[in-house]
Amino acid sequence: MPIYTCTTAQGTLAVATKAELAAEITRIHSEVNHVPPGYVNVVFTEPPRDSVYVGGEPGAPLLITGWARRGHPQEETTRLALELSAAASRVTGIPEPRVLVVIQDSPARSAVEGGRVLPDPGHEKEWMSRQER
């Protein structure tokens, strides 16, 4: 259900680092939003170095954009963003001032997975039980 896109210039992150970061993003999201790890999707995009700018200058930030279903308490979403930022810096070695985490949300009914409209937060179990039939 949640989708995280991690964007950084080509060659910034090793394959093992991406795997570790994906595992940390999954762990943190699962713990904060109380969903199974299998719900969490993480994708890495790596544009060429000459395509990444910060403040109009070539840069090497780590940009993490997440999408989640609307309805989670704001305090938890803020905690999620803070924990993701700290973990991303720790795992990648990229200083936290160069890490940007943005959590976007929209109503669950705005998304479809497996041909089915997603459930509102807190209704995952009944959604999954209907999916297993």
Side-chain angles (χ1 to χ4, degrees):
M1 288 180 204
I3 304 165
Y4 286 93
T5 303
C6 303
T7 304
T8 192
Q10 282 179 352
T12 301
L13 302 178
V15 173
T17 302
K18 290 185 220 176
E20 186 177 353
L21 181 55
E24 275 295 278
I25 290 170
T26 299
R27 180 190 65 76
I28 292 166
H29 185 95
S30 295
E31 287 178 7
V32 172
N33 285 340
H34 314 288
V35 297
Y39 283 9
V40 182
N41 300 279
V42 180
V43 177
F44 290 87
T45 60
E46 299 177 285
R49 287 193 174 274
D50 64 357
S51 295
V52 181
Y53 290 78
V54 176
E57 301 291 328
L62 172 57
L63 311 172
I64 301 174
T65 306
W67 175 85
R69 296 164 295 146
R70 186 167 295 150
H72 296 286
Q74 183 58 55
E75 303 79 34
E76 289 182 9
T77 301
T78 300
R79 180 177 140 224
L80 175 65
L82 287 167
E83 288 187 25
L84 289 172
S85 180
S89 180
R90 184 181 70 252
V91 167
T92 66
I94 295 172
E96 201 164 0
R98 288 187 17 223
V99 175
L100 172 64
V101 177
V102 177
I103 306 296
Q104 301 170 324
D105 67 4
S106 61
R109 66 184 173 278
S110 296
V112 173
E113 183 174 340
R116 299 181 53 222
V117 175
L118 295 181
D120 287 326
H123 297 277
E124 296 85 3
K125 286 185 183 178
E126 53 194 70
W127 186 81
M128 288 300 291
S129 69
R130 287 195 310 258
Q131 189 169 354
E132 294 170 358
R133 293 180 195 163

